[in-house]
Amino acid sequence: AGHVEMGDYAVIGGMTPIHQFVHIGEYAMIAGASALAQDVPPFCMAEGNFAHYLSTIIAFSSASETRTLSTYALPSSTQI
């Protein structure tokens, strides 16, 4: 059996199957009901069946301050 590596503070939506040997980067966000079969880099958001990039988180303040996320939208055809 394979294993999945998840980075710190990664968020995985409900009912999301994840294929074995997938690495999910820190602060990555995966939408619910998405099928994840490939690695997701840190600070990225992904959705869909099979998951594709939704956007990349390009700014994140320190944990001690109020967290503010800024995103940069990528073309919907970009595959993970």
PDB file of all heavy atoms in Angstrom, residues 42-62:
ATOM      1  N   PRO A  42       3.167  23.476  -2.820  1.00  0.00           N
ATOM      2  CA  PRO A  42       2.784  24.340  -1.707  1.00  0.00           C
ATOM      3  C   PRO A  42       2.114  25.623  -2.200  1.00  0.00           C
ATOM      4  O   PRO A  42       2.401  26.102  -3.295  1.00  0.00           O
ATOM      5  CB  PRO A  42       4.124  24.675  -1.036  1.00  0.00           C
ATOM      6  CG  PRO A  42       5.050  23.599  -1.462  1.00  0.00           C
ATOM      7  CD  PRO A  42       4.598  23.181  -2.823  1.00  0.00           C
ATOM      8  N   PHE A  43       1.208  26.151  -1.391  1.00  0.00           N
ATOM      9  CA  PHE A  43       0.527  27.423  -1.638  1.00  0.00           C
ATOM     10  C   PHE A  43      -0.317  27.411  -2.913  1.00  0.00           C
ATOM     11  O   PHE A  43      -0.442  28.447  -3.576  1.00  0.00           O
ATOM     12  CB  PHE A  43       1.530  28.583  -1.680  1.00  0.00           C
ATOM     13  CG  PHE A  43       2.310  28.736  -0.403  1.00  0.00           C
ATOM     14  CD1 PHE A  43       3.582  28.220  -0.294  1.00  0.00           C
ATOM     15  CD2 PHE A  43       1.748  29.368   0.687  1.00  0.00           C
ATOM     16  CE1 PHE A  43       4.301  28.335   0.890  1.00  0.00           C
ATOM     17  CE2 PHE A  43       2.455  29.502   1.867  1.00  0.00           C
ATOM     18  CZ  PHE A  43       3.730  28.985   1.972  1.00  0.00           C
ATOM     19  N   CYS A  44      -0.901  26.276  -3.277  1.00  0.00           N
ATOM     20  CA  CYS A  44      -1.763  26.179  -4.454  1.00  0.00           C
ATOM     21  C   CYS A  44      -3.148  25.714  -4.055  1.00  0.00           C
ATOM     22  O   CYS A  44      -3.317  25.002  -3.083  1.00  0.00           O
ATOM     23  CB  CYS A  44      -1.183  25.198  -5.472  1.00  0.00           C
ATOM     24  SG  CYS A  44       0.266  25.832  -6.295  1.00  0.00           S
ATOM     25  N   MET A  45      -4.142  26.120  -4.844  1.00  0.00           N
ATOM     26  CA  MET A  45      -5.505  25.640  -4.675  1.00  0.00           C
ATOM     27  C   MET A  45      -5.866  24.822  -5.902  1.00  0.00           C
ATOM     28  O   MET A  45      -5.510  25.193  -7.015  1.00  0.00           O
ATOM     29  CB  MET A  45      -6.469  26.805  -4.504  1.00  0.00           C
ATOM     30  CG  MET A  45      -6.306  27.518  -3.177  1.00  0.00           C
ATOM     31  SD  MET A  45      -7.603  28.704  -2.853  1.00  0.00           S
ATOM     32  CE  MET A  45      -6.924  30.150  -3.668  1.00  0.00           C
ATOM     33  N   ALA A  46      -6.568  23.709  -5.691  1.00  0.00           N
ATOM     34  CA  ALA A  46      -6.942  22.828  -6.791  1.00  0.00           C
ATOM     35  C   ALA A  46      -8.377  22.350  -6.596  1.00  0.00           C
ATOM     36  O   ALA A  46      -8.875  22.277  -5.472  1.00  0.00           O
ATOM     37  CB  ALA A  46      -5.997  21.636  -6.865  1.00  0.00           C
ATOM     38  N   GLU A  47      -9.037  22.030  -7.715  1.00  0.00           N
ATOM     39  CA  GLU A  47     -10.405  21.517  -7.662  1.00  0.00           C
ATOM     40  C   GLU A  47     -10.664  20.662  -8.892  1.00  0.00           C
ATOM     41  O   GLU A  47      -9.923  20.726  -9.870  1.00  0.00           O
ATOM     42  CB  GLU A  47     -11.417  22.657  -7.616  1.00  0.00           C
ATOM     43  CG  GLU A  47     -11.507  23.429  -8.907  1.00  0.00           C
ATOM     44  CD  GLU A  47     -12.678  24.390  -8.942  1.00  0.00           C
ATOM     45  OE1 GLU A  47     -13.428  24.480  -7.957  1.00  0.00           O
ATOM     46  OE2 GLU A  47     -12.829  25.055  -9.966  1.00  0.00           O
ATOM     47  N   GLY A  48     -11.712  19.912  -8.873  1.00  0.00           N
ATOM     48  CA  GLY A  48     -12.176  19.172 -10.039  1.00  0.00           C
ATOM     49  C   GLY A  48     -11.889  17.687  -9.978  1.00  0.00           C
ATOM     50  O   GLY A  48     -11.221  17.196  -9.095  1.00  0.00           O
ATOM     51  N   ASN A  49     -12.442  16.995 -10.936  1.00  0.00           N
ATOM     52  CA  ASN A  49     -12.299  15.546 -11.014  1.00  0.00           C
ATOM     53  C   ASN A  49     -11.711  15.215 -12.379  1.00  0.00           C
ATOM     54  O   ASN A  49     -12.413  15.238 -13.374  1.00  0.00           O
ATOM     55  CB  ASN A  49     -13.666  14.886 -10.849  1.00  0.00           C
ATOM     56  CG  ASN A  49     -13.577  13.392 -10.736  1.00  0.00           C
ATOM     57  OD1 ASN A  49     -12.490  12.856 -10.651  1.00  0.00           O
ATOM     58  ND2 ASN A  49     -14.711  12.735 -10.739  1.00  0.00           N
ATOM     59  N   PHE A  50     -10.527  14.992 -12.521  1.00  0.00           N
ATOM     60  CA  PHE A  50      -9.317  14.997 -11.728  1.00  0.00           C
ATOM     61  C   PHE A  50      -8.872  16.435 -11.482  1.00  0.00           C
ATOM     62  O   PHE A  50      -9.035  17.280 -12.335  1.00  0.00           O
ATOM     63  CB  PHE A  50      -8.222  14.207 -12.429  1.00  0.00           C
ATOM     64  CG  PHE A  50      -8.476  12.727 -12.398  1.00  0.00           C
ATOM     65  CD1 PHE A  50      -9.118  12.098 -13.432  1.00  0.00           C
ATOM     66  CD2 PHE A  50      -8.101  11.993 -11.290  1.00  0.00           C
ATOM     67  CE1 PHE A  50      -9.351  10.736 -13.377  1.00  0.00           C
ATOM     68  CE2 PHE A  50      -8.314  10.627 -11.239  1.00  0.00           C
ATOM     69  CZ  PHE A  50      -8.955   9.989 -12.285  1.00  0.00           C
ATOM     70  N   ALA A  51      -8.273  16.653 -10.311  1.00  0.00           N
ATOM     71  CA  ALA A  51      -7.979  18.009  -9.848  1.00  0.00           C
ATOM     72  C   ALA A  51      -7.066  18.776 -10.798  1.00  0.00           C
ATOM     73  O   ALA A  51      -6.147  18.230 -11.388  1.00  0.00           O
ATOM     74  CB  ALA A  51      -7.339  17.956  -8.466  1.00  0.00           C
ATOM     75  N   HIS A  52      -7.354  20.066 -10.956  1.00  0.00           N
ATOM     76  CA  HIS A  52      -6.520  20.980 -11.739  1.00  0.00           C
ATOM     77  C   HIS A  52      -6.341  22.251 -10.915  1.00  0.00           C
ATOM     78  O   HIS A  52      -7.062  22.494  -9.957  1.00  0.00           O
ATOM     79  CB  HIS A  52      -7.160  21.287 -13.096  1.00  0.00           C
ATOM     80  CG  HIS A  52      -8.500  21.925 -12.979  1.00  0.00           C
ATOM     81  ND1 HIS A  52      -9.662  21.185 -12.859  1.00  0.00           N
ATOM     82  CD2 HIS A  52      -8.881  23.223 -12.942  1.00  0.00           C
ATOM     83  CE1 HIS A  52     -10.703  22.019 -12.769  1.00  0.00           C
ATOM     84  NE2 HIS A  52     -10.254  23.255 -12.807  1.00  0.00           N
ATOM     85  N   TYR A  53      -5.366  23.062 -11.292  1.00  0.00           N
ATOM     86  CA  TYR A  53      -5.102  24.300 -10.558  1.00  0.00           C
ATOM     87  C   TYR A  53      -6.299  25.228 -10.623  1.00  0.00           C
ATOM     88  O   TYR A  53      -6.874  25.442 -11.677  1.00  0.00           O
ATOM     89  CB  TYR A  53      -3.901  25.044 -11.144  1.00  0.00           C
ATOM     90  CG  TYR A  53      -2.572  24.439 -10.818  1.00  0.00           C
ATOM     91  CD1 TYR A  53      -1.781  23.933 -11.827  1.00  0.00           C
ATOM     92  CD2 TYR A  53      -2.102  24.384  -9.522  1.00  0.00           C
ATOM     93  CE1 TYR A  53      -0.552  23.374 -11.546  1.00  0.00           C
ATOM     94  CE2 TYR A  53      -0.890  23.823  -9.233  1.00  0.00           C
ATOM     95  CZ  TYR A  53      -0.113  23.324 -10.247  1.00  0.00           C
ATOM     96  OH  TYR A  53       1.097  22.769  -9.967  1.00  0.00           O
ATOM     97  N   LEU A  54      -6.636  25.797  -9.502  1.00  0.00           N
ATOM     98  CA  LEU A  54      -7.630  26.847  -9.442  1.00  0.00           C
ATOM     99  C   LEU A  54      -6.912  28.186  -9.349  1.00  0.00           C
ATOM    100  O   LEU A  54      -7.203  29.108 -10.084  1.00  0.00           O
ATOM    101  CB  LEU A  54      -8.546  26.632  -8.234  1.00  0.00           C
ATOM    102  CG  LEU A  54      -9.634  27.651  -7.996  1.00  0.00           C
ATOM    103  CD1 LEU A  54     -10.575  27.699  -9.185  1.00  0.00           C
ATOM    104  CD2 LEU A  54     -10.386  27.317  -6.733  1.00  0.00           C
ATOM    105  N   SER A  55      -5.929  28.274  -8.459  1.00  0.00           N
ATOM    106  CA  SER A  55      -5.121  29.485  -8.309  1.00  0.00           C
ATOM    107  C   SER A  55      -3.925  29.180  -7.417  1.00  0.00           C
ATOM    108  O   SER A  55      -3.829  28.115  -6.832  1.00  0.00           O
ATOM    109  CB  SER A  55      -5.947  30.625  -7.711  1.00  0.00           C
ATOM    110  OG  SER A  55      -6.408  30.276  -6.433  1.00  0.00           O
ATOM    111  N   THR A  56      -3.043  30.149  -7.327  1.00  0.00           N
ATOM    112  CA  THR A  56      -1.859  30.038  -6.474  1.00  0.00           C
ATOM    113  C   THR A  56      -1.919  31.133  -5.426  1.00  0.00           C
ATOM    114  O   THR A  56      -2.213  32.276  -5.743  1.00  0.00           O
ATOM    115  CB  THR A  56      -0.575  30.199  -7.310  1.00  0.00           C
ATOM    116  OG1 THR A  56      -0.573  29.197  -8.310  1.00  0.00           O
ATOM    117  CG2 THR A  56       0.655  30.060  -6.445  1.00  0.00           C
ATOM    118  N   ILE A  57      -1.653  30.781  -4.195  1.00  0.00           N
ATOM    119  CA  ILE A  57      -1.622  31.768  -3.121  1.00  0.00           C
ATOM    120  C   ILE A  57      -0.269  32.461  -3.194  1.00  0.00           C
ATOM    121  O   ILE A  57       0.766  31.818  -3.047  1.00  0.00           O
ATOM    122  CB  ILE A  57      -1.816  31.089  -1.749  1.00  0.00           C
ATOM    123  CG1 ILE A  57      -3.135  30.331  -1.728  1.00  0.00           C
ATOM    124  CG2 ILE A  57      -1.740  32.108  -0.630  1.00  0.00           C
ATOM    125  CD1 ILE A  57      -3.285  29.409  -0.538  1.00  0.00           C
ATOM    126  N   ILE A  58      -0.256  33.773  -3.458  1.00  0.00           N
ATOM    127  CA  ILE A  58       1.015  34.463  -3.665  1.00  0.00           C
ATOM    128  C   ILE A  58       1.424  35.342  -2.495  1.00  0.00           C
ATOM    129  O   ILE A  58       2.530  35.813  -2.463  1.00  0.00           O
ATOM    130  CB  ILE A  58       1.000  35.290  -4.967  1.00  0.00           C
ATOM    131  CG1 ILE A  58      -0.116  36.333  -4.936  1.00  0.00           C
ATOM    132  CG2 ILE A  58       0.864  34.387  -6.158  1.00  0.00           C
ATOM    133  CD1 ILE A  58      -0.104  37.276  -6.103  1.00  0.00           C
ATOM    134  N   ALA A  59       0.538  35.565  -1.531  1.00  0.00           N
ATOM    135  CA  ALA A  59       0.892  36.364  -0.365  1.00  0.00           C
ATOM    136  C   ALA A  59       0.254  35.751   0.863  1.00  0.00           C
ATOM    137  O   ALA A  59      -0.902  35.379   0.848  1.00  0.00           O
ATOM    138  CB  ALA A  59       0.425  37.806  -0.534  1.00  0.00           C
ATOM    139  N   PHE A  60       1.032  35.633   1.917  1.00  0.00           N
ATOM    140  CA  PHE A  60       0.521  35.055   3.154  1.00  0.00           C
ATOM    141  C   PHE A  60       1.257  35.704   4.307  1.00  0.00           C
ATOM    142  O   PHE A  60       2.481  35.640   4.369  1.00  0.00           O
ATOM    143  CB  PHE A  60       0.733  33.541   3.160  1.00  0.00           C
ATOM    144  CG  PHE A  60       0.042  32.849   4.290  1.00  0.00           C
ATOM    145  CD1 PHE A  60      -1.306  32.574   4.213  1.00  0.00           C
ATOM    146  CD2 PHE A  60       0.738  32.497   5.415  1.00  0.00           C
ATOM    147  CE1 PHE A  60      -1.955  31.927   5.248  1.00  0.00           C
ATOM    148  CE2 PHE A  60       0.105  31.857   6.464  1.00  0.00           C
ATOM    149  CZ  PHE A  60      -1.241  31.574   6.376  1.00  0.00           C
ATOM    150  N   SER A  61       0.532  36.353   5.199  1.00  0.00           N
ATOM    151  CA  SER A  61       1.190  37.015   6.324  1.00  0.00           C
ATOM    152  C   SER A  61       1.592  35.993   7.374  1.00  0.00           C
ATOM    153  O   SER A  61       1.186  34.845   7.339  1.00  0.00           O
ATOM    154  CB  SER A  61       0.258  38.067   6.928  1.00  0.00           C
ATOM    155  OG  SER A  61      -0.895  37.455   7.463  1.00  0.00           O
ATOM    156  N   SER A  62       2.384  36.410   8.340  1.00  0.00           N
ATOM    157  CA  SER A  62       2.873  35.492   9.367  1.00  0.00           C
ATOM    158  C   SER A  62       1.721  34.986  10.232  1.00  0.00           C
ATOM    159  O   SER A  62       0.664  35.607  10.321  1.00  0.00           O
ATOM    160  CB  SER A  62       3.921  36.174  10.230  1.00  0.00           C
ATOM    161  OG  SER A  62       3.326  37.194  10.997  1.00  0.00           O
TER     162      SER A  62
END
